[in-house]
Amino acid sequence: MKIEQIELYHISMPLVAPFETSFGVETERHGIIAALRADGLTGYGECVASREPGYSYETASTAWHILTEFLAPRILGMEFASAGDVMARFAPVCGHAMAKAALEQAAWDVLAQAKNVSLSKLLGGTRPQVNVGVSVGIHPTAAALLDRIERYLADGYKRIKIKIKPGWDLDIVRQVRARWPKVWLQVDANSAYTLADQSLFEAMDEFKLLLIEQPLGHDDIYEHSLLQAHLATPLCLDESILSAAHARAALALKACRVINIKVGRVGGLAEARHIHNLCHKQNIPVWCGGMLETGIGRAANVAIASLPGFTLPGDISASARYYAEDLVEPPFALNADSTLSVPTGPGLGVRVIEARLKAATLRSERFG
């Protein structure tokens, strides 16, 4: 296939409610949508970098620079037979995994359309539905948090993840667990703690959490191994895992017992599948994390989460959890059993509504 044209859209979409983590508060989603046209087909990808460099050094603005100046021009006009061919062209560009992942995802979408198969099938997915949960941000009060969780449980979500930070941690977990003794519960610290907080996490063992996600720094794989040795609760690494090489190191050091796979963070669907395969062979459970994606990125997440090793519920909630109106039809809806259905149509299996995409666009640029 030949890449004939690439169009990039820097978007901003309001969230239905503010989302607060230890990094700060987000009220709107900034990101980049990539449209890649080849042999008469259009594939879409989403760059999950946000406006602020909290979760990652990449931002929507830096990704725009890398995509427009270095990545899109590098692949325009090339012939490709696999998404790997596209990624090979990006090899001279150091880092910027989220920017690269947007174009890689678009290439996967086009290839699946050309083969008239779903992205899930092309990746090797085996499930018609994927288990999902909901991520609940930090709230002004514990009462507000409990009320929000109650509404999500009423919506049908069976797994709850709550964000924590110093001063909003052990007592909050205690209150949530007291209210719902049997709900699947996990916490996410987003790198907000250090080894000096070991006793805090030891105290969380009594609450029978599914996992504790990324308690220490993004570059603290070794320190996580020291902490995990003292805990009954599994640690899950997120920000620390930027590639399969990082995953191998974390598992060898026993730094975690679970890995959160985010397609954008690791540089694309192929690398995400590589990490999945590595963990699956070692019986290490993985799950798909979320980055406030629109339906474009959500479709890719659902597809990768259909692989057999994704045994824990992912943070890929229904479209209505984040947006009053998504960029795609049909939007993703929560099934009664706390799952999302895996699209079966060619490629991503959802239709991008161009009028909505243009309405959300702050700037755009076309190549070819």
Side-chain angles (χ1 to χ4, degrees):
M1 305 185 73
K2 183 177 181 179
I3 299 176
E4 300 153 349
Q5 188 181 85
I6 297 169
E7 194 155 8
L8 301 172
Y9 305 86
H10 182 172
I11 64 167
S12 175
M13 293 178 62
L15 299 171
V16 295
F19 189 69
E20 182 174 350
T21 71
S22 61
F23 296 130
V25 182
E26 290 185 79
T27 58
E28 59 184 342
R29 163 87 170 97
H30 275 250
I32 298 170
I33 303 299
L36 184 152
R37 299 180 176 92
D39 294 3
L41 300 171
T42 300
Y44 287 92
E46 181 167 348
C47 175
V48 297
S50 60
R51 183 164 55 183
E52 303 290 337
Y55 177 85
S56 166
Y57 69 85
E58 290 187 78
T59 67
S61 294
T62 64
W64 184 264
H65 169 62
I66 294 298
L67 282 161
T68 57
E69 296 293 326
F70 302 102
L71 300 184
R74 191 173 290 273
I75 63 172
L76 184 65
M78 75 172 285
E79 298 277 352
F80 71 104
S82 71
D85 294 338
V86 172
M87 289 299 283
R89 286 287 185 96
F90 297 157
V93 179
C94 184
H96 301 283
M98 294 177 181
K100 292 175 180 177
L103 290 172
E104 193 246 21
Q105 179 189 318
W108 276 101
D109 185 16
V110 163
L111 289 164
Q113 291 180 50
K115 296 176 183 292
N116 198 33
V117 299
S118 68
L119 177 58
S120 168
K121 183 174 182 180
L122 191 60
L123 288 167
T126 59
R127 295 192 182 93
Q129 295 90 28
V130 298
N131 291 313
V132 301
V134 65
S135 179
V136 189
I138 295 165
H139 280 59
T141 65
L145 174 69
L146 295 174
D147 180 67
R148 176 63 69 178
I149 292 173
E150 187 164 28
R151 280 183 276 167
Y152 284 138
L153 291 172
D155 288 340
Y157 290 104
K158 294 182 179 179
R159 189 229 69 190
I160 301 294
K161 181 176 90 173
I162 59 174
K163 298 287 188 174
I164 60 172
K165 66 178 181 178
W168 180 271
D169 39 46
L170 192 60
D171 183 59
I172 292 299
V173 174
R174 182 178 290 109
Q175 291 187 55
V176 173
R177 182 49 90 203
R179 181 81 165 267
W180 295 285
K182 296 183 179 180
V183 74
W184 289 350
L185 181 64
Q186 62 193 62
V187 299
D188 183 6
N190 288 119
S191 304
Y193 298 85
T194 71
L195 273 178
D197 299 300
Q198 177 179 312
S199 61
L200 169 75
F201 294 106
E202 289 176 334
M204 288 189 183
D205 277 342
E206 71 172 283
F207 301 117
K208 307 301 180 186
L209 302 175
L210 283 176
L211 56 88
I212 297 169
E213 186 178 355
Q214 196 71 40
L216 310 181
H218 72 278
D219 54 354
D220 287 351
I221 290 180
Y222 173 68
E223 286 79 1
H224 276 99
S225 74
L226 301 179
L227 179 60
Q228 179 66 94
H230 292 276
L231 304 181
T233 306
L235 292 185
C236 170
L237 291 186
D238 174 359
E239 289 94 326
S240 293
I241 308 300
L242 303 179
S243 66
H246 288 120
R248 279 194 299 270
L251 297 182
L253 289 169
K254 294 181 169 49
C256 63
R257 298 174 192 160
V258 181
I259 286 179
N260 171 350
I261 297 177
K262 290 179 178 172
V263 174
R265 188 192 72 232
V266 303
L269 289 160
E271 191 71 4
R273 185 172 61 176
H274 190 180
I275 295 170
H276 161 274
N277 294 345
L278 172 71
C279 292
H280 196 40
K281 288 179 182 178
Q282 298 187 42
N283 295 314
I284 300 295
V286 300
W287 55 286
C288 185
M291 294 286 288
L292 308 180
E293 289 92 345
T294 72
I296 294 170
R298 198 166 309 278
N301 286 348
V302 169
I304 195 74
S306 69
L307 271 65
F310 284 85
T311 55
L312 295 175
D315 281 346
I316 38 179
S317 310
S319 298
R321 159 68 179 89
Y322 299 104
Y323 302 108
E325 184 176 64
D326 207 340
L327 297 181
V328 305
E329 289 289 347
F332 287 92
L334 187 69
N335 298 323
D337 59 351
S338 194
T339 65
L340 295 186
S341 297
V342 180
T344 57
L348 291 175
V350 293
R351 181 168 58 93
V352 176
I353 308 303
E354 292 188 10
R356 297 179 192 172
L357 175 58
K358 290 180 180 178
T361 296
L362 301 176
R363 56 179 168 172
S364 64
E365 188 161 343
R366 181 181 295 173
F367 299 81

